């Protein structure tokens, strides 16, 4: 049976469409140096992994699929968030992601979909958030997506893989099948891998800040968080491997900053003073000019009044 190579003009057209989709993502790229990367090196060729993933769907005339591990659960620290359920931060972030997919339709008519891979159950024991709170958070996200008419988004979590198995067993299966060894993680963090070191430090800091109460000393808490950080990274890597297995052709997005050339594309959901801050680790402050900003609840409530939505705390409005 004879096969034919793609027509050069068609191939060039697919590449041009992939670059046009990439151009829609670049303004929201999350980097370690700031919300956007103005480096002259940030040309389309620097994003070969993304272009390679985008092209097959474009060539086939099918919707582009993105996967985004994110929206795990609210921080357990009440100084950072308004509660354990989604609020204005999640609503704005979800609307942004849905709108981004809608804009992709202008350059690729079949459009795009984002699979939000909610990873709270993957490490709830390590971040010390009850599984019941994570279920409530995920269910409320699904309701929010439906009620807001966000047709380009869908949610995926451990329940879609293991059904109604006890969560401890689900985590054990995830870890056993996909998690890297602790020795490999430690050798990377201590052996000069700058990206691994920054990730470890960032997660350690988050765990420390998210701990609302601890019976021991500050130094004991720091040691505890350093230990748990490796566990979180193990489960996060395991979750990423599971996602890749279940969504093999998707373009991989990340809420963490990513270097040029990475297989993952770091994406910024909302304005924040810290490149690591997310809607589930903060609250929203709405300024008089309409601008919304993420910040710690303790800071936001000093600057504005609490606003309720459907009877629940939603965000703060600057006064």
């Amino acid at each position: 049976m004879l096969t034919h190579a793609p027509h050069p003009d068609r191939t060039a057209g697919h590449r041009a469409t992939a670059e046009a989709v990439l151009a829609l993502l670049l303004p929201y790229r999350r980097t370690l140096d700031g919300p956007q990367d103005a480096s002259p090196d940030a040309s389309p060729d620097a994003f070969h992994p993304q272009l390679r993933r985008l092209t097959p769907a474009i060539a086939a005339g099918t919707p582009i699929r993105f996967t985004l591990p994110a929206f795990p659960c609210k921080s357990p620290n009440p100084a950072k968030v308004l509660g354990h359920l989604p609020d204005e931060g999640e609503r704005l972030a979800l609307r942004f992601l849905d709108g981004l997919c809608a804009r992709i339709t202008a350059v690729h008519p079949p459009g795009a979909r984002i699979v939000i891979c909610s990873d709270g159950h993957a490490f709830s024991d390590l971040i010390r958030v009850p599984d019941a709170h994570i279920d409530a958070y995920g269910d409320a996200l699904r309701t929010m997506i439906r009620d807001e008419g966000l047709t380009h988004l869908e949610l995926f979590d451990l329940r879609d893989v293991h059904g109604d198995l006890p969560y401890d067993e689900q985590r054990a299966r995830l870890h056993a099948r996909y998690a890297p060894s602790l020795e490999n993680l430690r050798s990377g963090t201590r052996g000069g891998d700058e990206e691994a070191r920054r990730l470890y430090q960032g997660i350690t800091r988050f765990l420390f800040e998210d701990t609302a109460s601890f019976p021991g000393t500050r130094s004991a808490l720091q040691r505890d968080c350093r230990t748990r950080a490796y566990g979180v990274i193990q489960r996060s890597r395991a979750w990423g491997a599971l996602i890749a297995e279940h969504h093999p052709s998707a373009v991989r997005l990340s809420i963490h900053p990513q270097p040029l050339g990475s297989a993952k594309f770091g994406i910024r959901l909302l304005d924040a003073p810290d490149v690591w801050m997310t809607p589930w680790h903060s609250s929203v402050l709405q300024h008089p000019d309409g601008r919304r900003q993420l910040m710690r609840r303790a800071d936001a409530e000093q600057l504005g009044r609490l606003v309720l939505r459907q009877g629940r705390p939603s965000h703060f409005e600057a006064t």
Side-chain angles (χ1 to χ4, degrees), residues 13-40:
H14 298 157
R15 165 77 183 206
T17 300
E19 290 186 3
V21 172
L22 178 65
L24 293 172
L25 298 175
L26 283 175
Y28 310 103
R29 180 172 171 245
R30 174 172 281 192
T31 73
L32 290 166
D33 298 320
Q36 298 184 37
D37 186 0
S39 167

Side-chain angles (χ1 to χ4, degrees), residues 53 67 156 161 177-178 238-249:
R53 286 281 187 172
T67 52
F156 174 85
V161 181
R177 180 166 181 178
Y178 300 104
W239 183 237
L242 182 148
I243 291 169
E245 185 176 283
H246 283 257
H247 305 279
S249 62

Side-chain angles (χ1 to χ4, degrees), residues 192-250:
D193 186 332
E194 185 65 16
E195 182 183 353
R197 185 184 67 81
R198 286 182 172 179
L199 178 62
Y200 168 72
Q201 290 177 335
I203 291 176
T204 300
R205 176 168 65 89
F206 265 132
L207 291 173
F208 186 85
E209 293 176 351
D210 277 5
T211 303
S213 62
F214 185 77
T217 64
R218 182 182 177 90
S219 60
L221 174 59
Q222 289 173 331
R223 289 193 299 271
D224 175 69
C225 291
R226 286 195 289 267
T227 298
R228 285 191 285 140
Y230 278 117
V232 170
I233 295 171
Q234 280 183 297
R235 301 273 183 85
S236 180
R237 296 273 180 87
W239 183 237
L242 182 148
I243 291 169
E245 185 176 283
H246 283 257
H247 305 279
S249 62

Side-chain angles (χ1 to χ4, degrees), residues 153-173:
L153 306 181
E154 59 187 88
L155 214 61
F156 174 85
D157 63 26
L158 268 182
R159 291 178 289 183
D160 295 302
V161 181
H162 297 304
D164 295 329
L165 284 177
Y167 285 120
D168 284 341
E169 185 174 345
Q170 294 196 36
R171 283 186 283 271
R173 291 189 179 194

Side-chain angles (χ1 to χ4, degrees), residues 88 92 270-273 277 283-296 299-305 307 315-319:
E88 184 72 353
L92 293 173
L270 295 171
D271 286 334
M277 188 172 283
S283 300
V284 171
L285 177 69
Q286 180 170 318
H287 293 274
D289 61 3
R291 180 172 55 91
R292 284 102 162 194
Q293 183 180 9
L294 295 177
M295 61 178 62
R296 287 167 52 90
D299 297 327
E301 64 186 358
Q302 296 298 315
L303 300 172
R305 64 175 184 87
V307 176
H315 61 286
F316 294 94
E317 193 172 79
T319 54

Side-chain angles (χ1 to χ4, degrees), residues 84-202:
H84 71 273
L85 294 176
D87 54 36
E88 184 72 353
E90 279 83 1
R91 190 177 74 88
L92 293 173
L94 291 172
R95 290 178 67 181
F96 160 72
L97 291 171
D98 189 76
L100 186 59
C101 289
R103 290 195 294 277
I104 288 173
T105 305
V107 297
H108 177 59
R113 292 187 64 79
I114 294 177
V115 182
I116 296 170
C117 303
S118 182
D119 45 3
H121 286 302
F123 37 67
S124 62
D125 56 327
L126 294 167
I127 60 176
R128 296 172 182 167
V129 173
D131 284 308
H133 284 191
I134 294 172
D135 277 340
Y137 180 88
D139 293 343
L141 278 181
R142 287 182 169 88
T143 299
M144 188 176 283
I145 288 170
R146 185 194 67 227
D147 291 350
E148 292 282 329
L150 308 179
T151 58
H152 303 92
L153 306 181
E154 59 187 88
L155 214 61
F156 174 85
D157 63 26
L158 268 182
R159 291 178 289 183
D160 295 302
V161 181
H162 297 304
D164 295 329
L165 284 177
Y167 285 120
D168 284 341
E169 185 174 345
Q170 294 196 36
R171 283 186 283 271
R173 291 189 179 194
L174 174 70
H175 192 102
R177 180 166 181 178
Y178 300 104
S181 71
L182 190 58
E183 293 74 20
N184 284 345
L185 287 183
R186 283 177 170 159
S187 64
T189 303
R190 299 169 180 173
D193 186 332
E194 185 65 16
E195 182 183 353
R197 185 184 67 81
R198 286 182 172 179
L199 178 62
Y200 168 72
Q201 290 177 335

